[in-house]
Amino acid sequence: MAKGPGVTIRSVLLNVRDVARSVDFYTRFLGAVPLSAVTPSGADLDLVTGTLRLRHVEQPAESTWVADDLHAGFRHVGFKVASLEPLVTRLRDADVSFHLEPIDAEGGVRITFFYDPDGTLLELVEGALQYHEVFDRDAVDEDWAAGVPDRPRLDHVAETVADLDRTLAYYGGLGWRHMAGIHQPSDPRGFEIAYVRSGDLVLEVFTFARAELLPARPLLDATGFLGIELDPAPEGGEPTVDGWSVSTDPDGLLLLSARR
């Protein structure tokens, strides 16, 4: 995975009940390739531009995540695909639960949302986003240069935040670039999306100017999305998960790094 300056996204971490079941799901539907031996305790999966790390949780806590973008913190994991419909057909044939059927979205892309076996919300995106505002042309050119993937590739993690300027300052301090933005003019909540680039991956940042947010309550041992792995570790993390250094951004997104 190509790296720019500063702290970059190394992988996305998920807590799962059954590692073999999750590996089967991601290899069958998203073309993931195991990077090493799959064990009952975990697996690392290659998704072209990033790694998905699965962590087994024996007795998981009840998840506090809610499928409502007005909750701050993690919202979904996104993948770029060459063609949406063949994958959607396979998912439907396997009775995978959808959150949003395929639609044409702002920015000239086609998208759909569905759930993995442990309730992590996933997005498929077909097409190159045509941004309404560009703040870093080099970053956008890098985004577009990735082209059409031969197999689904890890593209972004989405997060809802209370204060965009605060979020941009936080991640800017890690060396991430405010790449571009997309407006949602038909949304009465004042919904806007900003894109912050780290290496080959993107943090998709949701804000709502005319709606009240509910705070995130991330849990280390609930099933589903756990956090994003950063390299190197930012300052201030605590060694609380399997030797990982753990911190949060201003809106509760968990940031983990391997302690050296």
Side-chain angles (χ1 to χ4, degrees):
M1 177 166 52
K3 290 186 178 183
V7 177
T8 60
I9 300 175
R10 184 178 179 87
S11 61
V12 173
L13 291 94
L14 305 181
N15 283 339
V16 303
R17 291 179 182 270
D18 184 326
V19 173
R21 178 182 67 173
S22 293
V23 169
D24 176 69
F25 179 90
Y26 283 97
T27 54
R28 270 202 298 156
F29 299 119
L30 289 166
V33 176
L35 289 169
S36 57
V38 175
T39 72
S41 62
D44 292 346
L45 305 178
D46 174 71
L47 283 151
V48 186
T49 45
T51 302
L52 193 67
R53 306 193 74 168
L54 307 178
R55 173 178 178 261
H56 177 248
V57 181
E58 185 66 37
Q59 295 181 319
E62 184 176 352
S63 176
T64 58
W65 185 84
V66 179
D68 180 344
D69 289 340
L70 293 181
H71 284 251
F74 168 74
R75 300 317 316 151
H76 66 263
V77 179
F79 301 84
K80 283 289 182 72
V81 299
S83 181
L84 201 70
E85 296 304 333
L87 288 173
V88 168
T89 297
R90 291 173 55 201
L91 291 164
R92 286 189 183 126
D93 289 346
D95 295 324
V96 172
S97 177
F98 277 76
H99 176 70
L100 180 69
E101 293 291 335
I103 62 167
D104 295 323
E106 293 287 347
V109 293
R110 190 159 175 80
I111 64 173
T112 190
F113 289 88
F114 59 99
Y115 295 98
D116 84 351
D118 292 283
T120 302
L121 184 60
L122 308 177
E123 180 188 21
L124 301 181
V125 181
E126 176 188 329
L129 264 171
Q130 304 303 304
Y131 299 104
H132 296 155
E133 293 180 300
V134 171
F135 303 106
D136 187 320
R137 172 51 61 183
D138 289 342
V140 170
D141 288 344
E142 291 170 17
D143 182 44
W144 288 347
V148 178
D150 293 329
R151 57 188 173 95
R153 62 175 170 84
L154 187 61
D155 180 70
H156 66 269
V157 170
E159 176 188 24
T160 292
V161 307
D163 185 324
L164 178 59
D165 289 339
R166 180 181 67 178
T167 297
L168 294 177
Y170 179 85
Y171 285 105
L174 301 181
W176 299 16
R177 295 174 290 170
H178 183 199
M179 180 170 68
I182 291 284
H183 305 305
Q184 305 289 330
S186 63
D187 194 313
R189 301 171 299 175
F191 180 30
E192 299 279 332
I193 306 177
Y195 296 85
V196 182
R197 192 168 182 84
S198 165
D200 289 337
L201 301 179
V202 170
L203 186 68
E204 188 176 78
V205 181
F206 295 172
T207 56
F208 297 87
R210 295 186 293 276
E212 184 175 350
L213 299 186
L214 294 170
R217 293 192 297 122
L219 297 177
L220 296 176
D221 289 317
T223 52
F225 177 84
L226 174 59
I228 54 177
E229 180 189 0
L230 302 181
D231 185 26
E235 297 294 328
E238 297 293 335
T240 57
V241 175
D242 300 339
W244 295 89
S245 171
V246 181
S247 57
T248 63
D249 76 359
D251 291 275
L253 188 74
L254 285 174
L255 310 173
L256 299 95
S257 301
R259 294 182 65 83
R260 301 184 188 281

